[in-house]
Amino acid sequence: MTKFRTRLLIALITLIITVLVGLGILLGHLLNNKFLESLKDHLNIEFLLILFISLGIALSVIIYLGIRITSRYTKQIEAATDVAIELAKGNYRARTTADWLDETGMLGRSINRLAENLQELIKVKEMQQDRLSVLIENMGAGLVLIDSRGYINLINKGFIDIFHVKPTDFLYKLYYEVIDYEEICQIIAEVFRTEQKVSKQLLVPFFIERRYFIVYGVPIIGANNVWKGVLLVFHDITELKKLEQMRKDFVANVSHELKTPVTSIKGFTETLMDGAMNDKETLDAFLSIILKESDRLQSLIQDLLELSKIEQQGFKLTIQEVDLRSVLEEVITIVSGKSQQKNILLELYCKKEQVIIKGDIDRLKQVFINLIGNAITYTPTDGNVKIILLEHNEKVRIHVKDSGVGIEKEEIPRIFERFYRVDRARDRNSGGTGLGLAIVKHLVEAHHGNISVRSKLGEGSDFIIELNKDLT
Ligand code: ADP
């Protein structure tokens, strides 16, 4: 800064001297021509020449310094203006390079600081904006924002996924022109009318599916009570509803299954107590029915306990090396009494001496007792049940194939449900609980395997289990 000031001072002094000399000459000329004449005599023409040359030099210095000073300032202003224009356009990375360390660079430095602050502010704003849009898009619920005139301003990914719509069909359109569901439009209208929160449970049919939602309609009221519109939030509760229904069905089924044998036991006991026990034959017949019904109750309770144990979180298999062939042979021995009663031919086909896999021996036995037991139960007398054990690379496959009554194609996906029976009356008489296949499916899946069924009504069924040898 001192350098700049000195230059300015020199320029001024030169200017003053020049002006004074010029004025002196002019005055002398005007006031006393004689004085000039005498000066001419004394100083001759060279003096005047020197005077004019020095005057010229002084003028050049002034012009030069003037140009330098002004150019220095104009450069600063130009650079600062360019940056300001860039900032106004939204380019917050623009910076001026004309930022000398002296006072002339102050404008440049200030504008650079301003740009830095703006850039920082915009960064923070963009971060907040990003966070907000990520939150809105991935909040797991459908969201619609409607402005105060009824135009849809925003829909999120959740809403698009739920209703399978294109954003362009909805955005900036009147809500009642694009939302097909009368009940949803009613909720929006209610929020507009009452300016109060509204929440309702809706059942929305989508093609062949029906989905349950809780819809929240919230009025958006800005500062000074300015009405800004309505926010709609859709929570899909279909799975919850299904679980609730399953729980209700389960309780109803268990009660029903328990009620039948208990009623029967109670009825026969009362009849006996009313005097029937005096007749030996009736007594024997009724007691054997009571025994059968209590067996059913016992196995039902056992299966229920078993299923709840398997379904519990933290249920673990006791994994060890298991020879599947010997497991199947053991199960065949256990159920052979039942097959002999019906004269059913029960055979095991396996080419290998041993088929070793990793699994829980007791649970695998349980799976095959249920499957082979069913095969015998649902096969009429003189039929046959084949158990085929195959080994292929890292997998094993077990077929439990019977020549029994078979299952209709539509029934197959349902037989693994708890308490599901194809023919309720017939299958209850079979002594089953309706829980056997549900247990089988859980245990096979716990072994990371899968179970499938091929069946033809009247021809027989083939239950196929595939397991990995290494339980991976
Ligand atoms: P249940 O204890 O009644 O046998 P499951 O869960 O084991 O119950 O089986 C469910 C239903 O699947 C049975 O009631 C029966 O209708 C059908 N089912 C199971 N296995 C066979 C089979 N091998 N052949 C024909 N139907 C079968």
Side-chain angles (χ1 to χ4, degrees):
M1 181 58 201
T2 40
K3 241 172 129 187
F4 176 70
R5 273 194 194 144
T6 327
R7 276 187 210 154
L8 201 66
L9 209 65
I10 294 169
L12 277 173
I13 292 166
T14 322
L15 186 68
I16 290 163
I17 292 170
T18 318
V19 170
L20 283 177
V21 170
L23 270 175
I25 292 168
L26 198 67
L27 277 173
H29 180 73
L30 288 173
L31 296 174
N32 194 356
N33 243 354
K34 275 185 192 159
F35 171 73
L36 259 185
E37 284 297 314
S38 65
L39 207 72
K40 215 176 178 182
D41 289 345
H42 287 97
L43 295 175
N44 67 38
I45 195 80
E46 279 126 17
F47 173 74
L48 283 174
L49 205 68
I50 290 166
L51 190 73
F52 278 119
I53 288 170
S54 51
L55 203 67
I57 291 170
L59 265 171
S60 313
V61 169
I62 290 167
I63 291 164
Y64 170 72
L65 287 175
I67 288 170
R68 277 207 61 177
I69 292 161
T70 46
S71 81
R72 193 158 183 168
Y73 274 105
T74 49
K75 247 191 203 165
Q76 280 286 315
I77 293 164
E78 262 170 29
T81 314
D82 286 346
V83 174
I85 291 168
E86 283 298 305
L87 291 178
K89 280 185 200 161
N91 174 15
Y92 300 105
R93 273 182 294 180
R95 298 285 186 276
T96 162
T97 47
D99 60 345
W100 291 293
L101 288 169
D102 56 27
E103 275 170 17
T104 55
M106 226 150 92
L107 180 64
R109 283 200 302 279
S110 307
I111 210 129
N112 277 352
R113 206 164 304 138
L114 179 75
E116 271 164 28
N117 289 346
L118 272 173
Q119 197 179 2
E120 198 58 39
L121 270 175
I122 292 299
K123 221 191 267 171
V124 172
K125 204 181 148 212
E126 275 173 1
M127 242 163 66
Q128 283 172 346
Q129 191 78 37
D130 280 355
R131 259 186 239 158
L132 194 68
S133 50
V134 167
L135 193 86
I136 288 174
E137 286 303 304
N138 302 293
M139 62 190 284
L143 196 130
V144 181
L145 191 69
I146 298 161
D147 71 12
S148 56
R149 295 168 308 144
Y151 284 89
I152 295 175
N153 271 353
L154 182 144
I155 56 172
N156 76 340
K157 195 172 164 290
F159 183 82
I160 293 166
D161 290 348
I162 292 171
F163 291 93
H164 306 288
V165 292
K166 279 193 223 143
T168 44
D169 293 343
F170 273 71
L171 282 176
Y172 314 114
K173 307 249 165 83
L174 279 167
Y175 76 86
Y176 48 80
E177 284 178 1
V178 286
I179 296 179
D180 278 341
Y181 302 95
E182 185 55 35
E183 280 174 298
I184 299 175
C185 290
Q186 276 173 8
I187 293 174
I188 302 169
E190 195 178 327
V191 181
F192 268 110
R193 202 173 51 246
T194 59
E195 297 191 6
Q196 296 288 326
K197 279 185 208 164
V198 175
S199 78
K200 267 193 186 137
Q201 238 186 66
L202 289 189
L203 175 62
V204 184
F206 291 114
F207 310 106
I208 51 161
E209 220 188 342
R210 282 144 58 93
R211 301 201 75 83
Y212 290 90
F213 293 96
I214 290 192
V215 185
Y216 295 98
V218 186
I220 311 166
I221 299 176
N224 302 327
N225 275 342
V226 179
W227 176 247
K228 292 206 157 170
V230 175
L231 178 73
L232 273 193
V233 185
F234 295 80
H235 282 293
D236 191 339
I237 52 159
T238 314
E239 292 307 312
L240 272 177
K241 278 273 176 193
K242 268 191 200 161
L243 281 177
E244 196 184 303
Q245 193 54 45
M246 262 169 73
R247 190 186 55 79
K248 280 185 193 161
D249 289 351
F250 183 70
V251 173
N253 279 327
V254 171
S255 324
H256 184 74
E257 293 294 328
L258 290 173
K259 199 181 135 205
T260 322
V262 170
T263 317
S264 165
I265 292 169
K266 193 169 174 270
F268 283 109
T269 317
E270 276 168 3
T271 321
L272 286 179
M273 287 173 82
D274 283 349
M277 65 179 177
N278 297 325
D279 177 27
K280 174 88 173 67
E281 240 173 67
T282 320
L283 180 68
D284 281 352
F286 282 16
L287 280 180
S288 66
I289 295 171
I290 291 171
L291 183 66
K292 205 178 133 208
E293 292 297 335
S294 28
D295 279 347
R296 247 182 75 158
L297 263 184
Q298 194 184 27
S299 51
L300 185 69
I301 290 162
Q302 254 168 11
D303 276 0
L304 275 173
L305 285 174
E306 197 59 38
L307 195 64
S308 85
K309 206 186 327 170
I310 296 167
E311 283 184 344
Q312 215 132 75
Q313 262 193 349
F315 165 73
K316 276 205 177 86
L317 299 171
T318 314
I319 303 298
Q320 62 190 90
E321 290 212 330
V322 181
D323 174 15
L324 264 187
R325 186 187 170 125
S326 60
V327 167
L328 288 168
E329 281 168 351
E330 205 182 319
V331 173
I332 288 171
T333 320
I334 295 170
V335 296
S336 60
K338 199 173 158 189
S339 66
Q340 275 159 18
Q341 274 174 17
K342 291 175 80 178
N343 196 27
I344 288 171
L345 184 66
L346 189 58
E347 285 174 308
L348 171 68
Y349 296 87
C350 178
K351 286 183 182 159
K352 297 270 172 80
E353 281 295 300
Q354 275 191 326
V355 177
I356 306 288
I357 68 158
K358 280 195 177 149
D360 184 325
I361 188 160
D362 293 327
R363 299 303 185 182
L364 288 171
K365 264 186 212 166
Q366 200 176 356
V367 165
F368 296 118
I369 287 175
N370 283 353
L371 283 183
I372 303 170
N374 275 353
I376 298 169
T377 306
Y378 301 107
T379 299
T381 38
D382 305 325
N384 65 69
V385 173
K386 288 178 189 154
I387 296 120
I388 306 157
L389 174 57
L390 302 165
E391 194 182 13
H392 185 68
N393 295 333
E394 285 311 298
K395 289 193 179 251
V396 289
R397 195 194 297 157
I398 308 106
H399 292 258
V400 179
K401 213 170 168 181
D402 63 57
S403 61
V405 294
I407 310 159
E408 256 184 285
K409 209 176 159 203
E410 298 78 60
E411 306 276 2
I412 290 177
R414 303 211 59 191
I415 57 173
F416 295 95
E417 287 175 16
R418 291 178 291 192
F419 296 114
Y420 189 79
R421 291 183 175 109
V422 176
D423 179 341
R424 294 208 155 243
R426 179 204 73 188
D427 295 347
R428 191 170 286 123
N429 288 337
S430 71
T433 58
L435 295 171
L437 286 181
I439 295 175
V440 167
K441 189 164 183 275
H442 268 292
L443 290 179
V444 171
E445 280 168 3
H447 278 85
H448 302 185
N450 67 64
I451 180 161
S452 54
V453 186
R454 284 190 214 136
S455 187
K456 227 171 183 186
L457 208 61
E459 288 182 21
S461 313
D462 185 7
F463 284 75
I464 308 148
I465 292 182
E466 279 180 326
L467 296 170
N468 292 321
K469 280 187 185 169
D470 208 12
L471 202 79
T472 44

